[in-house]
Amino acid sequence: MRGSLALAAGLLAGLWLDTRRRTNRAEQQHPPTGHFMSVGGTRLHYLDHGKDSASPPVVFLHGNGTTADDWALSLLDEAARHRRCVCFDRPGHGYSEATPRRDAGPAAQAALLRAATRKLGLERPIVVGHSLAGAVALAWALDFPEEIGGLVILSAFTHPTPRLDFLPMMGPAIPAVGPLLSHTVLPPLDRLILPAMMRRIFEPNPVPPSYNELPPDLLLRPTQLEAAAAQLAALIPGVAAMAPRYSEIRCPMAVVAGREDRIVDPHAHAVQLHNAVAGSTLHLLAETGHMPQHARPDAVMAAIERVERAMTGTSVHAEA
């Protein structure tokens, strides 16, 4: 019995050290390329591209488990040609510090990122939220309606539909046990399934070669696994509280989703959100999966520009 316990302890210690080594190496290979700021005691990392112009600024919020680099690898350069664009590493992701677990929900994230945006002097930005961050963008519009210019909601989880597949991904959020898992057994297991997971996220579109610039171990750091798990656990209760209020949203909003999305059903989420918000536009993209910013950056840029025109009073027509 003692021998078995010693063997298990030695295995966990070895995995812990290997995770630490891989984390350090990934951070050396891919150091932060943006700026840092502190808001409410939380240190946030962000990319700030483009210049202030007549066009409204745009704030980009990435999905769960990735980083602000998702935008740099897709459409950030194009978006920043004519406007100022800020991409935050959401709390616990990339090089942003995690917030307490009680602040993992969409509303708490929105409040923190709204405060950061104000600190940067961005007035009434267009907020672009992808996947889980679509719920964060919606919470921002609901809780601070006078401070947001418009919304672009991409492939977002917006309504409390049952998701049993979320349960295995919530392991790192389990008190006490979660950190042990995220520092030992989960990183090597996740490295094995990450390629298949990436293919599923992008299907039916290919994973872009640019994603090779992100070391897998950067995405599998224990702090990021724990933050992503906590935010996923808070997602369904968060959207359940918000969904009855979507009709309150009055800012221009474009809803974009891939018809072939394997991760978030566009009919249960994008279509329902569009139906709830008067004046919103719906863009369902053929032969496109969960990552339209990579597969169809032209369509996402068109949605941003459509919201810009709506903010200035130019006529906008709904599309599907």
Side-chain angles (χ1 to χ4, degrees), residues 126-216:
I126 296 172
V127 179
V128 181
H130 173 248
S131 195
L132 183 147
V136 177
L138 290 165
W140 192 331
L142 288 169
D143 293 344
F144 307 99
E146 302 303 320
E147 299 179 21
I148 196 165
L151 291 171
V152 178
I153 306 298
L154 305 179
S155 307
F157 190 96
T158 60
H159 289 74
T161 56
R163 292 293 298 262
L164 294 178
D165 60 317
F166 283 3
L167 294 177
M169 293 182 280
M170 294 181 190
I174 300 172
V177 175
L180 177 62
L181 294 174
S182 68
H183 282 81
T184 56
V185 298
L186 286 182
L189 289 176
D190 286 347
R191 275 195 300 276
L192 291 175
I193 66 174
L194 187 61
M197 185 183 302
M198 283 293 184
R199 288 194 296 271
R200 180 169 175 77
I201 290 171
F202 279 90
E203 286 177 347
N205 314 113
V207 179
S210 61
Y211 247 64
N212 293 328
E213 296 179 24
L214 289 178

Side-chain angles (χ1 to χ4, degrees), residues 195-271:
M197 185 183 302
M198 283 293 184
R199 288 194 296 271
R200 180 169 175 77
I201 290 171
F202 279 90
E203 286 177 347
N205 314 113
V207 179
S210 61
Y211 247 64
N212 293 328
E213 296 179 24
L214 289 178
D217 289 320
L218 188 76
L219 305 179
L220 300 178
R221 290 173 296 170
T223 52
Q224 183 149 324
L225 292 177
E226 292 163 24
Q231 291 165 15
L232 190 64
L235 178 59
I236 292 179
V239 298
M242 292 194 300
R245 299 178 55 205
Y246 287 152
S247 61
E248 300 173 16
I249 295 175
R250 292 290 181 265
C251 66
M253 181 172 79
V255 182
V256 181
R259 291 183 183 272
E260 310 300 324
D261 193 333
R262 311 285 203 263
I263 305 301
V264 177
D265 182 349
H267 298 286
H269 296 273
V271 173

